[in-house]
Amino acid sequence: AATALRLRAEAIVSLKLAVVAACAGLSGWICLSRDLDEHGVVQKEEGLPKTISELCQLRLALQSLRAFRLRGAAHLILPLRAERALEEVDREVKHGLVQLVLHFESAG
């Protein structure tokens, strides 16, 4: 059981870097594309609403996981390092959403 918990924590910590990088990169690229995309690729592919939807779903999943753990779901208890990684992912996803909203709020 301890080994499984350690492996789960390692997976979360490793995944954190990928999620944070993807979130920051995608949000930044979409914001940049508003000003530089002459062909409207992001708009044609509905990149903004799709990205916002995915980021919102990820935040909801993280918040649900946190709620289950707070209610004492023992199988969801994680080492402190993994808990911090999940919190960092949640902060980065929230930051990406805020960045998108602020950049596009005047776009209509």
Side-chain angles (χ1 to χ4, degrees):
T3 301
L5 184 60
R6 186 179 55 77
L7 290 174
R8 195 173 1 170
E10 290 295 326
I12 290 170
V13 172
S14 298
L15 185 62
K16 173 199 81 169
L17 180 60
V19 172
V20 168
C23 181
L26 190 56
S27 297
W29 178 76
I30 289 175
C31 289
L32 184 62
S33 74
R34 177 178 173 233
D35 301 326
L36 301 178
D37 185 8
E38 295 176 7
H39 302 290
V41 174
V42 172
Q43 288 75 20
K44 287 179 196 170
E45 298 299 323
E46 298 183 5
L48 180 62
K50 287 178 182 176
T51 300
I52 288 174
S53 175
E54 292 295 324
L55 292 176
C56 286
Q57 290 177 44
L58 180 54
R59 281 210 79 210
L60 284 172
L62 290 167
Q63 290 171 357
S64 294
L65 181 61
R66 183 179 304 120
F68 284 128
R69 287 192 321 265
L70 289 174
R71 284 190 219 127
H75 65 287
L76 297 176
I77 303 299
L78 298 169
L80 184 58
R81 188 171 57 138
E83 293 283 346
R84 287 183 180 151
L86 288 174
E87 289 171 8
E88 189 174 334
V89 167
D90 189 46
R91 277 193 305 274
E92 186 59 40
V93 170
K94 181 180 178 183
H95 175 75
L97 283 166
V98 168
Q99 180 183 8
L100 289 169
V101 168
L102 290 176
H103 194 80
F104 285 93
E105 71 180 342
S106 63

